[in-house]
Amino acid sequence: MLAVFVGVTAALIFGSADFAGGMAAKRISAVRVTAIGGLSGLVLLLLALPLFPSVWSTKAVLLGGITGITGALAVVLLYACLAIGPMSILSPLTAVISAVVPVLAGVIRGERLTTLGYLAIPVALVAVVLVGFVPERGAVRPSLKALAMAVGSGALIGVFLILIDLTPDDSGLVPLVVSRAVNATVMFSAIGVGALWVRRRGTVPAGVARWKPGLVLAIIAGVIDATANALLLFGLRLGDLTVQSVLTALYPAGTILLAAIVLRERIAPVQVVGLVLALTAAALLAVA
């Protein structure tokens, strides 16, 4: 039950991070938001590292580094596919794939659930689709390119979950610290390469001032996301990969709830059904 509670909480916090990051991305580029968030999250994890028993090992550092790369690639593909649209289809598709990949890995590794657990997983996957589905008038069908990027992003998120689950139990926050360090390095390097490319074309690169409008929100998003990652890691060490990956995929619920409260966006009836199914799935997993 504790593992389920941690998983649901992590999902809601991930959704909060996405909300803050989305607000920041309206002010500055999504790539910059991701880079700033990676750095602010790294600072938080470094401050928290001494508070938790953490053993540095080759396995923890190696897996953490790989997750940093997969995480950066996942974010790039996610933003790229959402820019093409339609978000109403691509967002839930990414979330579902991010859950299916670790679930399959868990089954292959021999994880077994009770009857209620096996019933809860498809209910949760349906909830992910309904929660992430936002009806749009005149929405276009996604292109094969957009679908491929959405699937790729979801698969990379799933790989991130699998690799984090494989980290040593005694490593504490070490894998996340390394992951964030690599992630921030990759994103800032990409920004630097982009600036050099723009300069070579004779165009004046974006100035420092353009970082300021969304800077605070980006920092907040990174801190919240790092907190959610720490909870996810804790949940994985408490319970099964299969359960935690499905619960984490419910993250759109947190974004939608905050949008309704802060921005007063209307929650569609289909999303209400999805939220109810999500709570039902969580309850089934808790008693499974």
Side-chain angles (χ1 to χ4, degrees):
M1 185 175 294
L2 179 58
V4 172
F5 174 77
V6 171
V8 173
T9 303
L12 292 175
I13 296 178
F14 271 125
S16 302
D18 286 348
F19 176 79
M23 295 293 291
K26 291 182 179 181
R27 295 164 171 80
I28 57 178
S29 73
V31 175
R32 289 180 175 182
V33 172
T34 305
I36 294 169
L39 185 58
S40 64
L42 173 61
V43 172
L44 175 68
L45 291 170
L46 285 173
L47 291 174
L49 185 62
L51 303 177
F52 299 89
S54 302
V55 177
W56 290 81
S57 65
T58 302
K59 183 177 181 180
V61 172
L62 179 61
L63 290 175
I66 296 174
T67 60
I69 297 173
T70 56
L73 292 175
V75 171
V76 170
L77 286 176
L78 176 62
Y79 283 126
C81 75
L82 293 181
I84 298 175
M87 293 185 182
S88 60
I89 295 175
L90 298 174
S91 178
L93 173 61
T94 301
V96 170
I97 296 297
S98 72
V100 170
V101 171
V103 166
L104 292 176
V107 171
I108 292 173
R109 285 164 48 180
E111 292 183 2
R112 295 292 181 266
L113 302 175
T114 64
T115 302
L116 288 178
Y118 283 115
L119 175 63
I121 287 179
V123 172
L125 292 177
V126 172
V128 169
V129 176
L130 296 181
V131 166
F133 181 76
V134 182
E136 296 178 0
R137 293 182 179 179
V140 296
R141 293 183 178 181
S143 64
L144 289 177
K145 179 180 179 181
L147 287 173
M149 287 191 294
V151 172
S153 176
L156 286 170
I157 294 172
V159 171
F160 174 91
L161 292 170
I162 294 170
L163 293 175
I164 284 294
D165 183 54
L166 292 175
T167 57
D169 291 339
D170 62 357
S171 60
L173 296 178
V174 169
L176 294 181
V177 169
V178 176
S179 178
R180 283 286 166 157
V182 172
N183 190 302
T185 300
V186 169
M187 297 310 298
F188 277 109
S189 297
I191 292 173
V193 171
L196 288 175
W197 182 75
V198 170
R199 181 173 295 176
R200 286 187 176 182
R201 293 188 53 148
T203 306
V204 178
V208 176
R210 294 191 180 182
W211 290 71
K212 293 180 180 179
L215 180 61
V216 174
L217 279 173
I219 292 173
I220 293 173
V223 169
I224 296 174
D225 187 66
T227 303
N229 271 286
L231 279 175
L232 168 64
L233 183 60
F234 181 53
L236 286 170
R237 290 173 180 170
L238 281 175
D240 293 333
L241 171 65
T242 303
V243 173
Q244 292 300 315
S245 60
V246 173
L247 292 177
T248 301
L250 296 173
Y251 64 85
T255 306
I256 291 168
L257 290 174
L258 274 177
I261 296 171
V262 178
L263 303 179
R264 299 187 182 279
E265 292 184 359
R266 188 179 69 86
I267 299 179
V270 66
Q271 292 174 309
V272 174
V273 175
L275 290 172
V276 172
L277 287 178
L279 292 174
T280 301
L284 289 174
L285 289 171
V287 300

